[in-house]
Amino acid sequence: MIVAIDGPSGAGKSTVAKAVAKKIGFSCLDTGAMYRSIAYLACKEGISLDDEAALTKLAQSVDISFGHVEGDPIPRSVFINGEDVTTAIRTAQIDKAVSPVSATPGVREALLECQRRIGHAGDYVVEGRDIGTVVFPDAEVKVFLTASDEERAHRRVRQNADRGIGSIDYEEVLADIRRRDTVDSSRACAPLKQAEDAIHMDTTALYIEEVIEQICALARGEA
Ligand code: DC
């Protein structure tokens, strides 16, 4: 079974996806981390972010994997070609580089295959931008999470401060969130948009626990 959670940056997808997966005993797949890993490697290898052919070749040839602590189905780390990039993919540099990388059709095609292979291997909560529309259009549960731009920027600043990585300047983070929303929603290939059969939840004024409970109820067929 697939629970698809889509929405813009900072809407609470990661927190919600992990908590839901834990409660209903599913694994969890963060597809944004996969795009971030490709962006990280492209920057490291000096690949130009407008070189579609080189980015595509990179995405087709890399090995992305997730590290688990024994007994916990929620991944704790991300590896690309064996290198632990868990924190390296969360910097402001990667926040910027990931937009052109994720707008590259060849990159999306390569990761799509990989995401489907992982998701079909078990019960997964999958979070991203195009999970309910493109990657798993037949997902049993589809949720589209949103929140106001300002609330999302506040959350991202708090998260970056807790992690000790990324910008903690509210105005900079707000501008970056708006920039990424525009790029993610206007790209030609698999843009960020709500699937017709997805349930929309605005998390601006909702307690995260309420959102988690509602999605768990949907997954259990109780709602
Ligand atoms: O969820 P995130 O902020 O970590 O995602 C990083 C970037 O990857 C984001 O700018 C949009 C892109 N992305 C995407 O295009 N499709 C997905 N399924 C997941 C993320």
Side-chain angles (χ1 to χ4, degrees):
M1 177 174 180
I2 298 285
V3 175
I5 302 184
D6 289 304
S9 175
K13 296 188 303 293
S14 287
T15 309
V16 168
K18 284 187 197 134
V20 168
K22 209 162 209 146
K23 285 198 164 202
I24 60 176
F26 281 23
S27 302
C28 192
L29 176 63
D30 173 2
T31 60
M34 301 173 84
Y35 286 98
R36 286 173 177 276
S37 299
I38 302 291
Y40 166 83
L41 200 57
C43 291
K44 188 178 164 190
E45 297 193 354
I47 294 172
S48 166
L49 299 179
D50 57 12
D51 187 341
E52 291 194 16
L55 289 174
T56 300
K57 207 165 147 213
L58 188 72
Q60 286 168 342
S61 61
V62 294
D63 173 40
I64 300 175
S65 59
F66 293 90
H68 293 264
V69 171
E70 219 185 295
D72 185 356
I74 315 296
R76 299 274 176 92
S77 40
V78 191
F79 295 86
I80 188 156
N81 292 342
E83 178 185 352
D84 186 340
V85 293
T86 313
T87 52
I89 60 171
R90 304 284 165 196
T91 63
Q93 184 202 1
I94 302 304
D95 280 350
K96 291 204 166 57
V98 71
S99 294
V101 169
S102 61
T104 305
V107 171
R108 299 205 73 86
E109 209 175 298
L111 291 189
L112 172 77
E113 265 182 49
C114 188
Q115 290 158 9
R116 284 192 178 146
R117 200 168 359 95
I118 295 172
H120 284 141
D123 292 321
Y124 270 86
V125 178
V126 187
E127 57 146 314
R129 303 292 189 287
D130 60 341
I131 308 306
T133 50
V134 177
V135 185
F136 294 110
D138 297 328
E140 287 84 346
V141 176
K142 294 185 190 180
V143 174
F144 195 77
L145 286 188
T146 59
S148 71
D149 298 358
E150 293 78 7
E151 174 63 19
R152 291 189 288 131
H154 280 302
R155 287 180 191 167
R156 185 48 56 89
V157 166
R158 279 199 298 272
Q159 196 179 53
N160 287 350
D162 288 347
R163 285 176 171 156
I165 37 171
S167 174
I168 51 164
D169 180 303
Y170 172 77
E171 292 300 333
E172 187 187 350
V173 170
L174 180 63
D176 186 65
I177 276 183
R178 287 179 169 155
R179 181 192 60 78
R180 278 206 283 154
D181 283 356
T182 307
V183 177
D184 291 348
S185 327
S186 60
R187 67 172 174 235
C189 187
L192 166 68
K193 75 166 195 258
Q194 182 176 341
E196 271 176 24
D197 51 351
I199 293 169
H200 179 211
M201 293 184 192
D202 184 335
T203 69
T204 310
L206 279 179
Y207 285 112
I208 216 77
E209 287 73 19
E210 287 177 59
V211 177
I212 293 163
E213 270 318 312
Q214 281 185 37
I215 301 175
C216 287
L218 288 167
R220 293 185 188 116
E222 298 164 358

